[in-house]
Structure formats: C-alpha cells, structure tokens
Amino acid sequence: GMASGAAGAAKQQNNSMSKTAETRSVPATAAPPAAKAKAALVGAVQQPRSPAGGSRAAGALDFQMVLLDLDQAEQLAYGTVFAAFGSGAESGSVQLDCQPLRDFVAANSACPYEELDVELLRRVGQDGEMKITLAAFIQMLRDNAVAEGTVLERFLGLSSNGETIDSQECRSG
C-alpha cells in the first residue's frame, strides 16, 4: 500500500525530473557573476585549524562551526555569497531578476532552472516589493538541498520491501 504509493510517486517525479534535467541549462553569458558568487562562498569557508593552531578567528567559517552551529555557518557562508550578488544586496535584498542570484541557485541547489521563477516568487516578502531577502535566499537553498525524488527512487531500488534497507547496502548503495 504505502510503499507502492511511494514508488509510484517517486517514478512519476523521476519522469518529470528526467524531462527537466535534459532541458536544464544556465545561460553561458551568466558565468562570470556565478563564478564571482561561487568564489565568495569558497572564500568564506576555511579549512579547520589544528588544536595547536590556536583559537578560531571570530566570524571565520570552518568545519567545527558547521558541526556546532549549522544555521550560523549557513548564514555566514551564504551571506558572503549574497553580498556578492551586487545592486541591493548591501541593503539586504535583491531583485528577482538578479542574474547572479538565479545562477547560484540553479547551480547549487536541486531547484530545476525551469522552476526557478516560481520558487523565487514564493519567497517574495509581504511588503509588495519583488525582492528576495538574505533570509529567503537561505531558506530556498535549504528547501532545495536535495532532489527528494531521486533519493526516494534510489532507496526503493535498494530496498527489498520498499520500507527498510540493510545498513551495509545503505552504505554502499
């Protein structure tokens, strides 16, 4: 009952995903702003220091911070990226048509490029302005961190009964 319903939903979602995956493309002219945003993200993340290396600088993002306070780590990393989006980012919001924003979300989330407009419109603030805030940007990345249909399909493919899987198969699957 439930497993076959889940399998059908996964198959249906996968069929729609495979159709959208073939047509997903980012405009070639938008690469430099996306590269700038990606460089900002890479610059915000540092390798963890060894215990002998002393205390971590205030505001520095490292693996220890990610483990201890994921929300703060995301705020720091994605805040740095958001600031690189350009006009308006310094005041805390950017227009929906901000190309670096669109490119970054398309390249670094499971949100298909074709659904980007709908996803962005869902995040517009209540003030009537057609802008995305840093908080809405971070929430959109969280909500689209993984393509659930792909994960569910893989699980169902590995599971013999659609409900459980042996831990060894899970690790190697």
Side-chain angles (χ1 to χ4, degrees):
M2 190 171 175
S4 63
K11 185 174 182 177
Q12 182 180 13
Q13 186 170 356
N14 185 50
N15 287 342
S16 66
M17 285 176 49
S18 64
K19 290 175 188 171
T20 58
E22 293 170 5
T23 59
R24 181 179 180 175
S25 65
V26 176
T29 59
K36 182 178 175 185
K38 187 135 186 152
L41 178 61
V42 171
V45 180
Q46 300 175 352
Q47 291 297 322
R49 291 181 162 183
S50 66
S55 64
R56 178 166 54 88
L61 177 61
D62 61 20
F63 189 65
Q64 179 83 18
M65 181 181 190
V66 171
L67 292 176
L68 294 176
D69 190 350
L70 181 59
D71 290 340
Q72 182 61 34
E74 286 178 327
Q75 182 76 29
L76 183 60
Y78 292 136
T80 303
V81 169
F82 192 83
F85 289 157
S87 180
E90 68 281 350
S91 64
S93 63
V94 293
Q95 296 288 332
L96 294 182
D97 63 352
C98 173
Q99 199 60 51
L101 164 76
R102 299 171 70 80
D103 293 343
F104 187 86
V105 172
N108 296 286
S109 76
C111 180
Y113 200 78
E114 300 78 30
E115 296 176 22
L116 193 53
D117 287 325
V118 173
E119 194 66 31
L120 287 168
L121 284 170
R122 288 184 38 214
R123 313 292 175 164
V124 170
Q126 302 300 324
D127 59 8
E129 290 191 46
M130 299 299 279
K131 293 184 174 184
I132 295 294
T133 64
L134 172 59
F137 169 67
I138 292 172
Q139 191 60 50
M140 182 168 48
L141 291 173
R142 287 176 181 158
D143 292 346
N144 290 284
V146 65
E148 291 178 11
T150 304
V151 174
L152 183 58
E153 180 181 313
R154 182 72 177 148
F155 173 82
L156 292 172
L158 292 171
S159 174
S160 61
N161 62 7
E163 294 181 17
T164 60
I165 187 171
D166 179 72
S167 62
Q168 186 64 26
E169 281 189 61
C170 185
R171 286 185 207 110
S172 62

